[in-house]
């Protein structure tokens, strides 16, 4: 997986969030958006790419999509993954807010 694949997944997730172009289904598809954000976050934090700030952003967006989908457990896991990403990669001072949101 490459950075371009992660960017493509982020755009795909944004389309799922703004799914108001169809006449039949006018509501956002939060579950699909969350899945795309999570996949993008995994790619961003992978060893070849190491874009940790982008990974944290994608995990937080996935968590917000889970909140909108009324899945607080999955939202907590995404916020925890965001905190773990900072913690494991030297951003100990930045890992507090995602952990607070996870709890």
């Amino acid at each position: 997986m490459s950075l371009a694949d992660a960017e493509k997944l982020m755009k795909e997730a944004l389309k799922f969030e703004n799914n108001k172009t169809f006449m039949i289904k006018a509501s956002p598809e939060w579950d699909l958006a969350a899945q795309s954000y999570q996949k993008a976050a995994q790619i961003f934090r992978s060893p070849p790419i190491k874009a940790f700030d982008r990974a944290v952003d994608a995990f937080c967006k996935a968590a917000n999509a889970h909140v909108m989908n009324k899945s607080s457990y999955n939202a907590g896991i995404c916020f925890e993954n965001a905190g773990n990403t900072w913690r494991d990669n030297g951003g100990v001072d930045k890992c507090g807010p995602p952990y607070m949101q996870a709890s």
Side-chain angles (χ1 to χ4, degrees):
M1 290 280 168
S2 67
L3 187 61
D5 292 332
E7 292 293 337
K8 183 178 174 184
L9 285 167
M10 292 292 283
K11 288 180 183 178
E12 180 180 293
L14 192 59
K15 285 181 187 177
F16 287 133
E17 280 185 11
N18 300 321
N19 192 19
K20 296 182 179 169
T21 57
F22 298 110
M23 294 292 186
I24 298 171
K25 185 167 181 133
S27 63
E29 296 182 14
W30 295 112
D31 54 340
L32 296 175
Q35 289 175 9
S36 294
Y37 281 133
Q38 285 179 280
K39 288 178 187 176
Q42 293 294 337
I43 295 170
F44 282 133
R45 77 174 185 179
S46 65
I49 298 175
K50 295 184 181 178
F52 301 123
D53 55 338
R54 302 286 312 274
V56 169
D57 181 50
F59 275 129
C60 289
K61 287 183 178 183
N64 290 329
H66 282 303
V67 167
M68 296 301 292
N69 201 29
K70 296 179 176 64
S71 177
S72 58
Y73 175 77
N74 290 328
I77 288 175
C78 287
F79 281 128
E80 187 176 2
N81 284 335
N84 290 343
T85 300
W86 279 131
R87 183 198 66 204
D88 295 341
N89 299 294
V92 178
D93 56 333
K94 298 178 184 178
C95 68
Y99 283 146
M100 291 295 288
Q101 288 179 313
S103 61

